[in-house]
């Protein structure tokens, strides 16, 4: 086995190996479970499924649940019933579609740096 301490395995290589483990592995599960609640809320708002506390299997199960609920919703609607509004199962790390994420625009200086045509324009006060 390669040894990190003796130089046989670099820290970078170890990080790459850990990052590419399957989501259901014990190491990835331990990493997900160790993320503080505040950090989870932040990465959920940013849309980071890789930092979510659910594994890929749990996410797929939620997707199947949504499909069954949507099928039931559709069947009730077709047969003249009044089903409740369909709400997909919330998934950690994936913001709901109805929530808009804020996009930060570029500053004038950043625009000038990117576009040479704007570099000669006077700065606005």
């Amino acid at each position: 086995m390669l040894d990190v301490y003796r130089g046989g395995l670099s820290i970078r290589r170890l990080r790459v190996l850990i990052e590419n483990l399957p989501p259901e592995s014990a190491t990835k599960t331990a990493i997900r479970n160790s993320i503080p609640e505040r950090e989870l809320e932040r990465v959920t708002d940013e849309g980071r499924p890789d930092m979510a506390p659910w594994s890929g299997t749990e996410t797929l199960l939620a997707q199947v649940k949504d499909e069954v609920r949507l099928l039931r919703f559709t069947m009730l609607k077709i047969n003249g019933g009044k089903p409740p509004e369909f709400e997909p199962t919330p998934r950690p790390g994936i913001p709901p579609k109805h929530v808009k994420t804020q996009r930060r625009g570029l500053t004038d200086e950043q625009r000038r740096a990117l576009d040479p045509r704007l570099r000669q324009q006077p700065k606005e006060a």
Side-chain angles (χ1 to χ4, degrees), residues 51-69:
M51 300 288 285
W54 285 6
S55 68
T57 305
E58 291 166 320
T59 304
L60 285 174
L61 188 58
Q63 190 173 8
V64 169
K65 176 186 169 189
D66 284 347
E67 291 296 325
V68 169
R69 289 176 61 218

Side-chain angles (χ1 to χ4, degrees), residues 3-21:
D3 190 9
V4 175
Y5 299 108
R6 294 184 187 148
L9 181 66
S10 70
I11 298 295
R12 180 179 181 273
R13 176 73 176 144
L14 179 64
R15 189 195 78 209
V16 168
L17 289 173
I18 290 172
E19 286 176 351
N20 290 306
L21 285 171

Side-chain angles (χ1 to χ4, degrees), residues 40-87:
L40 275 177
E41 290 173 5
R42 186 184 66 77
V43 296
T44 298
D45 292 340
E46 292 175 5
R48 292 278 314 269
D50 59 324
M51 300 288 285
W54 285 6
S55 68
T57 305
E58 291 166 320
T59 304
L60 285 174
L61 188 58
Q63 190 173 8
V64 169
K65 176 186 169 189
D66 284 347
E67 291 296 325
V68 169
R69 289 176 61 218
L70 190 58
L71 180 61
R72 183 177 62 200
F73 174 85
T74 305
M75 292 304 293
L76 283 170
K77 193 86 165 166
I78 287 173
N79 291 314
K82 295 196 179 213
E85 186 67 30
F86 175 74
E87 289 282 331

